[in-house]
């Protein structure tokens, strides 16, 4: 079956939109109505006027789309597409943790479950985290969850001392500075660009640090011809498309391959996307009270991001 053709037909018939993260396989990125990072996707979801949102990403992203569109049908091609970072912050443990910091503002990275969002004052993404933290007074006590690498990076560049939840992304946390130093030694003219979910040792070597969209924009604007990319493989599709004359090398996650794939993102396939659109499932369902509570910190993030000129 020609899944691409069928998806295009069903999308029109059902007035659906397809939102895809940069870590999706190329054929999904190519068919999507919008491809972006977590911030761009949250923004697109907030202004979607389709009847159905097919979210080609992971569960917390589709949940965010549902929270912003409770009356719309939101489907995820594979319900098993979770996230190690979101899983590293179980709601019961986080609730107990927050009891120790009752006078703290809670800033949560969007890579967390809806339940964690209900316990948060504001959500952030890697595309706005530094600016949102900086928008709070310097002496504001803050708990930052769930990514300790991103939290430590923000503490480092803002001089803050946020309390960090001990969570990581298994894809970024595994990238080793040794592998990068080796790659650099063979390619001294290459710039290292890294996602802030990487460890501090990796970020210390980076020429540029940013969200997936920021990394893509950096490669477009830079005069450099070679880049060592410390994030998930999926972004290379757009980097190669927008800068076909440049060379991109992914930091491998182990010795056996030149890849660094998120196993959750890569569960989605064109066939599963077609089936989700056709069968209108698996759909994301959340209790009404969770939607109401989780929506507030997400909207706060979007409003503040507009005020700060980070999004339009
Ligand atoms: P961004 O989309 O904010 O760059 O985050 C990357 C990521 O790990 C998404 O799961
Ligand atoms: Fe989660 Fe990491 Fe995969 Fe992003 S790349 S979905 S943070 S496990």
């Amino acid at each position: 079956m020609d899944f691409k053709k069928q998806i295009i037909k069903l999308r029109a018939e059902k007035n659906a939109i397809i939102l895809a993260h940069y870590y999706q396989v190329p054929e999904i990125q190519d068919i999507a109505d919008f491809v972006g990072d977590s911030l761009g996707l949250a923004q697109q979801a907030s202004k979607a006027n389709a009847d159905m949102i097919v979210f080609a990403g992971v569960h917390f992203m589709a949940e965010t789309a549902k929270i912003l569109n409770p009356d719309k049908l939101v489907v995820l091609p594979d319900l098993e597409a979770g996230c190690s970072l979101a899983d590293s912050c179980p709601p019961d443990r986080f609730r107990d943790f927050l009891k120790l910091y009752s006078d703290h503002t809670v800033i949560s990275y969007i890579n967390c479950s809806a339940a964690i969002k209900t316990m948060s004052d504001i959500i952030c993404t890697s595309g706005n985290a530094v600016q949102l933290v900086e928008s709070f007074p310097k002496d504001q006590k803050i708990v930052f969850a769930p990514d300790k690498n991103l939290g430590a990076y923000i503490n480092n560049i803002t001089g803050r001392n946020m309390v960090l939840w001990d969570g990581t992304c298994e894809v970024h946390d595994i990238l080793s500075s040794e592998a990068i130093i080796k790659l650099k030694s063979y390619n001294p003219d290459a710039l290292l660009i890294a996602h802030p979910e990487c460890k501090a040792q990796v970020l210390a070597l980076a020429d540029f640090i940013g969200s997936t969209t920021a990394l893509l924009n950096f490669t477009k604007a830079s005069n450099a011809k070679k880049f060592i990319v410390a994030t998930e493989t999926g972004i290379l599709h757009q980097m190669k498309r927008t800068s076909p004359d440049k060379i991109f090398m992914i930091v491998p996650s182990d010795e056996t391959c030149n890849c660094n794939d998120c196993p959750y993102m890569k569960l989605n396939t064109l066939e599963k996307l077609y089936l989700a659109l056709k069968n209108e499932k698996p759909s994301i369902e959340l209790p009404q009270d969770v939607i109401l509570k989780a929506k507030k910190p997400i909207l706060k993030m979007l409003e503040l991001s507009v005020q700060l000129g980070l999004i339009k």
Side-chain angles (χ1 to χ4, degrees):
M1 180 184 297
D2 185 344
F3 293 122
K4 201 174 153 195
K5 209 166 144 192
Q6 292 301 320
I7 288 168
I8 291 168
K9 186 169 159 270
L10 282 170
R11 171 170 56 189
E13 278 171 19
K14 298 195 178 207
N15 188 28
I17 52 163
I18 302 170
L19 303 181
H21 191 269
Y22 286 126
Y23 296 167
Q24 292 295 288
V25 290
E27 54 272 29
I28 290 184
Q29 293 189 38
D30 290 346
I31 208 166
D33 295 284
F34 178 83
V35 188
D37 67 356
S38 304
L39 180 59
L41 289 164
Q43 196 195 9
Q44 288 297 320
S46 75
K47 52 185 193 194
N49 55 18
D51 295 321
M52 178 180 180
I53 299 174
V54 182
F55 210 108
V58 291
H59 195 268
F60 75 81
M61 295 177 174
E63 261 188 354
T64 303
K66 181 69 182 179
I67 292 163
L68 291 166
N69 298 279
D71 301 329
K72 290 190 175 47
L73 176 63
V74 178
V75 296
L76 180 65
D78 191 321
L79 213 47
E80 296 296 308
C83 167
S84 67
L85 183 50
D87 289 348
S88 70
C89 194
D92 288 350
R93 276 184 49 215
F94 193 57
R95 195 170 289 108
D96 287 345
F97 179 77
L98 289 184
K99 286 182 189 149
L100 304 172
Y101 303 103
S102 54
D103 58 345
H104 285 50
T105 292
V106 181
I107 304 183
S108 296
Y109 189 36
I110 200 162
N111 302 37
C112 64
S113 65
I116 299 299
K117 290 184 174 81
T118 66
M119 293 179 239
S120 307
D121 295 299
I122 187 163
I123 300 303
C124 70
T125 76
S126 59
N128 59 18
V130 172
Q131 293 89 338
L132 294 197
V133 169
E134 285 282 49
S135 75
F136 287 90
K138 203 93 200 164
D139 57 354
Q140 178 83 49
K141 294 176 180 170
I142 296 173
V143 165
F144 187 88
D147 190 351
K148 68 174 178 187
N149 289 341
L150 175 62
Y153 165 69
I154 300 169
N155 274 345
N156 188 24
I157 61 170
T158 64
R160 305 222 171 197
N161 190 21
M162 300 187 297
V163 175
L164 308 181
W165 178 263
D166 187 10
T168 55
C169 156
E170 68 180 41
V171 178
H172 290 88
D173 194 55
I174 203 171
L175 300 182
S176 83
S177 43
E178 289 82 10
I180 291 167
I181 291 166
K182 216 179 197 176
L183 261 177
K184 265 255 188 204
S185 72
Y186 300 138
N187 302 279
D189 53 335
L191 294 183
L192 171 67
I193 58 172
H195 195 279
E197 287 172 18
C198 295
K199 280 196 189 79
Q201 301 93 293
V202 168
L203 298 180
L205 299 169
D207 297 292
F208 180 76
I209 298 166
S211 76
T212 319
T213 298
L215 297 180
L216 175 62
N217 290 341
F218 181 81
T219 61
K220 278 194 241 175
S222 170
N223 289 329
K225 289 279 175 227
K226 258 189 198 178
F227 300 88
I228 299 171
V229 184
T231 190
E232 212 266 0
T233 319
I235 188 62
L236 258 55
H237 180 55
Q238 298 296 335
M239 288 179 174
K240 287 178 182 164
R241 201 179 59 79
T242 51
S243 305
D245 55 327
K246 298 182 182 177
I247 296 168
F248 300 98
M249 289 161 282
I250 203 83
V251 176
S253 54
D254 65 40
E255 308 275 299
T256 62
C257 77
N258 278 332
C259 63
N260 184 21
D261 288 327
C262 169
Y264 313 101
M265 287 278 184
K266 296 303 195 264
L267 281 177
N268 295 326
T269 62
L270 210 53
E271 180 176 6
K272 288 180 194 171
L273 197 155
Y274 156 72
L275 289 171
L277 193 50
K278 178 171 169 266
N279 301 327
E280 305 190 357
K281 62 179 188 190
S283 66
I284 304 293
E285 308 298 339
L286 287 166
Q288 194 60 21
D289 61 323
V290 171
I291 289 182
L292 285 176
K293 273 196 205 157
K295 196 172 189 166
K296 277 190 198 161
I298 301 171
L299 288 181
K300 215 175 198 176
M301 167 188 82
L302 291 171
E303 282 156 18
L304 197 49
S305 298
V306 172
Q307 277 171 33
L308 294 170
L310 302 170
I311 53 174
K312 288 198 188 103

